[in-house]
Amino acid sequence: MQTPALPDLAHTAAKPVHWLATAAAMAGVVALAGLLQPRSATATATATEQRATTSHGAPAPAPDPAGVEFPLECGGAGTTVAKKASGDLDGDGRPETVAVVHCAAGSGTPPGGIYVLTRSSGAAPRVVATLVDPADRKTVGDFAVRDGLISATLLGYSSLDVPRCCPDQEEQASWRWQGKAFVRTSGDLARSV
């Protein structure tokens, strides 16, 4: 029999007292975590939030872009809602929907538009603002609605010589409702990608 070159290590011969100490330490950590839980949250609806509920007390649903006529010329090809997000953009307690829409092209990268939809009580959803017009020949990359702010990455082309598959300009843009209109709050300068 060959003797090991290293002496016996203490952790290789654990005794029951070691296991008990480990179990007690773990139980202490779990108990401490249970004591340090955050308080339960409570919320009270504001008058605006109370108005934005249906007659059954459920929150008013965000407008659905399906079936909305978008101001987009597609030559009979139809439209595609590529992205959508909802949020209360004007502070009235009712959610609006922001939709990124482009023509239903079989291939390529068609330019898109960003539209804001709203719905009056009982009425069908309708477009109330165009933030990006497809005539601007931009494609919408990243897109989000958070805390009343609409933000998007707009991709474009520096010239007609650039292939339509490969945008060479990128622009960060955001909009916020101010009074009676959406105001672009950033991203006025385009930069090359």
Side-chain angles (χ1 to χ4, degrees), residues 135-160:
D136 296 338
R137 306 183 83 54
K138 302 283 184 182
T139 303
V140 181
D142 293 334
F143 164 75
V145 173
R146 285 188 196 94
D147 300 323
L149 183 72
I150 304 161
S151 59
T153 301
L154 306 177
L155 305 173
Y157 305 93
S158 59
S159 74
L160 292 175

Side-chain angles (χ1 to χ4, degrees), residues 85-107:
S86 298
D88 182 7
L89 301 174
D90 58 3
D92 69 352
R94 286 187 220 147
E96 287 78 29
T97 297
V98 182
V100 176
V101 184
H102 59 78
C103 291
S107 62

